[in-house]
Amino acid sequence: MFRIKQLGLLVIIAVTFSACSEYHKVLNKGTTEDQYKLATQLFEEGSYNKSINLFEKVIPKYGAKPQMERIQYMVGEANFKTKSYELAAYYFERFIGNYPSSSKIEDATFLAAQSYYYDSPKSSRDQANTHKALTALQNFIDKFPESEKIKEANQYYDDLATRLEKKAFDIAKQYYITEKYQAAIMAFDIFIEDNFGTEYKEEALAYKFLAAYKLAMNSAEFKKEERINNATASYDRLKKNFPESERLKEFSSKLEDLNKELEKLKELYAKYTKNGL
């Protein structure tokens, strides 16, 4: 039994070695036709990295030949399968541009968008690829509204849109954390305007009030009244949009501080007026 297992193992090793030997022989010294045939075979067997290496040899030589349509699609899919999403998107975009009437155009358009989606970073990093993914997904949704993949495409789109919302919210919040209160107020205003219905709206309004509160309380006397009124208006906006918000209880003491500070200003102005100053 042991000898049989040994023989079986030797057969597997021999077959594997032979296959590897054939691959390297065709890769380095094979004809273009041999490279194309083996690349296609390896692709169909799921040996995507080897098939990519062979296809890269073939591509410059096939040019505008009919096989190039199939080659470009397979190279795109092989890169997608090996998680080389940037390259996959590149080849699918080329395929879409070169073969708009192909029977594979719907699949290629979706896979290009999906490649951009998987290549999109988390919200804390640069979002250039996220914008590319959103554009590609919107393109797919517009072109193939009846596609079986439309639900999945919409889910990807919503996820990416949420990432961008989170990125914009985090930028505005960072202004607050670093005590750049005027910049924070402006950033939260832009965020709320650009992201109607966002899940971060309550937090955005809360942080805007906090920024306005701290700006008002730390302002010079001649700027205080206007800034106190702006902070109070921010509180009222939070209350109007989220009347049940827990943040309102938390901010009630700050609202009292603003009102007291405003009363002090009025008394001060009255004193100056009385003394003719």
Side-chain angles (χ1 to χ4, degrees), residues 37 44 52 81 83 91 121 124 146 153 156 158 160 175 177 206 212 216-217 224 226-227 232 241 251 255 273 275-276:
K37 286 181 179 178
E44 291 172 350
I52 290 170
K81 294 288 189 181
K83 299 184 180 181
Y91 279 106
S124 59
E146 303 302 321
Y156 288 151
D158 289 345
L160 293 175
Y175 284 129
I177 291 170
M217 296 298 288
K224 259 189 179 179
E226 181 183 0
R227 290 178 175 179
T232 303
N241 282 271
F251 295 157
L255 186 64
T273 303
N275 293 331

Side-chain angles (χ1 to χ4, degrees), residues 88-102:
Y90 168 76
Y91 279 106
F92 283 128
E93 290 287 5
R94 286 187 63 185
F95 179 88
I96 293 163
N98 292 334
Y99 308 102
S101 301
S102 171

Side-chain angles (χ1 to χ4, degrees), residues 216-236:
M217 296 298 288
N218 292 288
S219 290
E221 297 297 334
F222 71 96
K223 293 182 179 180
K224 259 189 179 179
E225 183 175 5
E226 181 183 0
R227 290 178 175 179
I228 287 172
N229 289 332
N230 288 340
T232 303
S234 294
Y235 178 91
D236 291 339

Side-chain angles (χ1 to χ4, degrees), residues 10 19 30 73 103 108 132 160 188 204 206-207 226 234 243 254 260:
L10 288 171
Y73 186 88
S103 61
K132 288 181 182 178
L160 293 175
F188 281 121
Y207 273 107
E226 181 183 0
S234 294
K254 290 180 171 54
K260 287 177 182 177

Side-chain angles (χ1 to χ4, degrees), residues 58-70:
V58 166
I59 287 173
K61 299 172 184 177
Y62 267 76
K65 291 182 179 180
Q67 295 95 328
M68 186 54 76
E69 178 179 345
R70 189 182 181 201

Side-chain angles (χ1 to χ4, degrees), residues 169-188:
F169 176 81
D170 287 343
I171 289 171
K173 185 177 176 181
Q174 189 62 28
Y175 284 129
Y176 171 78
I177 291 170
T178 55
E179 300 182 1
K180 298 173 182 176
Y181 299 126
Q182 283 183 301
I185 292 165
M186 290 177 63
F188 281 121

Side-chain angles (χ1 to χ4, degrees), residues 29-205:
K29 297 181 180 180
T31 65
T32 300
E33 186 178 352
D34 289 339
Q35 289 171 342
Y36 172 69
K37 286 181 179 178
L38 185 57
T40 302
Q41 178 188 327
L42 290 170
F43 174 84
E44 291 172 350
E45 291 173 357
S47 297
Y48 299 116
N49 284 315
K50 288 182 177 179
S51 72
I52 290 170
N53 291 336
L54 285 163
F55 279 131
E56 287 175 348
K57 292 268 190 176
V58 166
I59 287 173
K61 299 172 184 177
Y62 267 76
K65 291 182 179 180
Q67 295 95 328
M68 186 54 76
E69 178 179 345
R70 189 182 181 201
I71 289 169
Q72 280 193 0
Y73 186 88
M74 285 192 289
V75 174
E77 187 172 348
N79 277 289
F80 184 86
K81 294 288 189 181
T82 55
K83 299 184 180 181
S84 299
Y85 298 121
E86 187 175 359
L87 280 171
Y90 168 76
Y91 279 106
F92 283 128
E93 290 287 5
R94 286 187 63 185
F95 179 88
I96 293 163
N98 292 334
Y99 308 102
S101 301
S102 171
S103 61
K104 287 281 192 180
I105 197 67
E106 179 181 332
D107 290 336
T109 305
F110 180 76
L111 286 168
Q114 197 173 30
S115 297
Y116 283 126
Y117 172 80
Y118 286 137
D119 202 40
S120 176
K122 294 179 180 179
S123 65
S124 59
R125 295 169 57 193
D126 178 73
Q127 295 297 310
N129 281 349
T130 302
H131 288 287
K132 288 181 182 178
L134 284 168
T135 299
L137 285 163
Q138 190 63 61
N139 179 50
F140 176 80
I141 292 165
D142 291 342
K143 284 187 175 180
F144 306 101
E146 303 302 321
S147 171
E148 292 180 357
K149 297 183 177 70
I150 202 71
K151 182 178 179 181
E152 191 175 0
N154 278 313
Q155 289 173 340
Y156 288 151
Y157 191 96
D158 289 345
D159 178 52
L160 293 175
T162 300
R163 288 189 205 180
L164 288 182
E165 285 183 10
K166 181 68 164 58
K167 179 74 172 180
F169 176 81
D170 287 343
I171 289 171
K173 185 177 176 181
Q174 189 62 28
Y175 284 129
Y176 171 78
I177 291 170
T178 55
E179 300 182 1
K180 298 173 182 176
Y181 299 126
Q182 283 183 301
I185 292 165
M186 290 177 63
F188 281 121
D189 275 338
I190 292 169
F191 172 79
I192 293 165
E193 184 177 345
D194 289 349
N195 298 281
F196 181 79
T198 175
E199 63 182 275
Y200 299 105
K201 186 173 182 179
E202 181 179 350
E203 281 297 289
L205 288 172

Side-chain angles (χ1 to χ4, degrees), residues 221-222 264-277:
E221 297 297 334
F222 71 96
K264 289 180 184 177
L265 282 175
K266 288 179 180 179
E267 290 174 7
L268 187 60
Y269 293 156
K271 181 178 177 181
Y272 284 162
T273 303
K274 182 178 179 182
N275 293 331
L277 298 175

